[in-house]
Amino acid sequence: SAVISQKPSRDICQRGTSLTIQCQVDSQVTMMFWYRQQPGQSLTLIATANQGSEATYESGFVIDKFPISRPNLTFSTLTVSNMSPEDSSIYLCSVGSGILNEQFFGPGTRLTVL
Amino acid sequence: GIQVEQSPPDLILQEGANSTLRCNFSDSVNNLQWFHQNPWGQLINLFYIPSGTKQNGRLSATTVATERYSLLYISSSQTTDSGVYFCAVYPRAGGTSYGKLTFGQGTILTVHP
């Protein structure tokens, strides 16, 4: 399976600021996704990161709040914009070799907003 | 959309005990995965099992797709098994949920020494 890294691993931020999270994979992958896990909750899909085009967002998530880039088949970024304490969560990227294939997750970024 | 229900929500065991975790889903699925989330938040792949039975050491999983459930068996549990176990499915039906992994709410497992 692919080796996935995320930066930063954790951060504490002030409300109103923005944080960009990076996801790097050691091999080219077809599918890349971003998830949010709020405290004590399950994982919720934010968006599918599409290489060379705009991300596909799930209901309840918008590009202005969570802009995503995917410049190539091994790298993606998620920005959490204009943060509030409600954005405190673990953010995880995942990858898959095909649309229905097994997904593998990065180690996550633990974000606390004060 | 598809509903994924896991039971029990919480489970407390003594080291060495066996356990069975269940995942029910409300519609046909293309694939199913079991994950273990450790206390540091890392999601570890346990099984990719759309149907049938697989075993990996002390863990095994069975999916009966026609009856819309999957079971995860943990034998001789260890303290390192503690964490949250998630079941996630790819809905078979088309539409906006196609190709998107849908997670259950998880089972929190605590294994005491």
Side-chain angles (χ1 to χ4, degrees):
Chain A
S1 63
V3 177
I4 308 163
S5 60
Q6 284 187 235
K7 291 181 182 179
S9 58
R10 59 175 61 231
D11 207 341
I12 301 173
C13 301
Q14 297 298 318
R15 68 170 68 211
T17 62
S18 298
L19 177 72
T20 295
I21 302 167
Q22 299 179 4
C23 178
Q24 179 76 55
V25 192
D26 69 342
S27 59
Q28 293 186 346
V29 291
T30 305
M31 310 298 294
M32 291 185 81
F33 304 91
W34 286 99
Y35 290 80
R36 181 178 72 182
Q37 186 179 25
Q38 295 177 300
Q41 303 296 311
S42 186
L43 280 78
T44 301
L45 180 63
I46 297 172
T48 303
N50 300 309
Q51 193 259 327
S53 65
E54 199 169 279
T56 305
Y57 289 84
E58 297 303 302
S59 176
F61 297 95
V62 294
I63 188 172
D64 289 348
K65 175 67 175 177
F66 298 101
I68 288 171
S69 78
R70 190 178 173 192
N72 56 53
L73 293 176
T74 63
F75 185 79
S76 178
T77 66
L78 167 74
T79 299
V80 186
S81 303
N82 189 24
M83 289 184 285
S84 68
E86 291 70 37
D87 294 319
S88 297
S89 297
I90 300 174
Y91 292 86
L92 301 104
C93 70
S94 76
V95 304
S97 57
I99 192 168
L100 295 177
N101 290 9
E102 187 174 8
Q103 281 189 33
F104 295 88
F105 284 77
T109 296
R110 191 178 296 267
L111 171 62
T112 301
V113 184
L114 303 177
Chain B
I2 194 169
Q3 304 298 313
V4 182
E5 296 182 0
Q6 293 187 239
S7 59
D10 297 275
L11 186 58
I12 300 174
L13 301 173
Q14 287 296 127
E15 202 167 28
N18 302 328
S19 61
T20 301
L21 282 58
R22 187 177 181 102
C23 173
N24 291 333
F25 36 97
S26 60
D27 206 344
S28 299
V29 299
N30 278 311
N31 273 313
L32 184 146
Q33 291 187 238
W34 282 99
F35 298 92
H36 173 215
Q37 188 169 40
N38 64 24
W40 296 270
Q42 172 81 58
L43 269 177
I44 298 164
N45 288 42
L46 297 178
F47 294 101
Y48 175 64
I49 182 168
S51 64
T53 298
K54 290 186 177 180
Q55 180 151 11
N56 184 4
R58 296 181 296 105
L59 274 60
S60 64
T62 295
T63 297
V64 184
T66 53
E67 297 187 20
R68 300 181 184 172
Y69 74 89
S70 184
L71 302 173
L72 177 68
Y73 306 96
I74 304 174
S75 64
S76 304
S77 58
Q78 301 175 358
T79 56
T80 52
D81 294 331
S82 296
V84 185
Y85 289 79
F86 287 105
C87 163
V89 302
Y90 283 112
R92 181 180 293 275
T96 58
S97 60
Y98 183 75
K100 296 172 185 174
L101 211 51
T102 302
F103 280 77
Q105 289 303 306
T107 292
I108 302 172
L109 176 64
T110 304
V111 181
H112 290 303

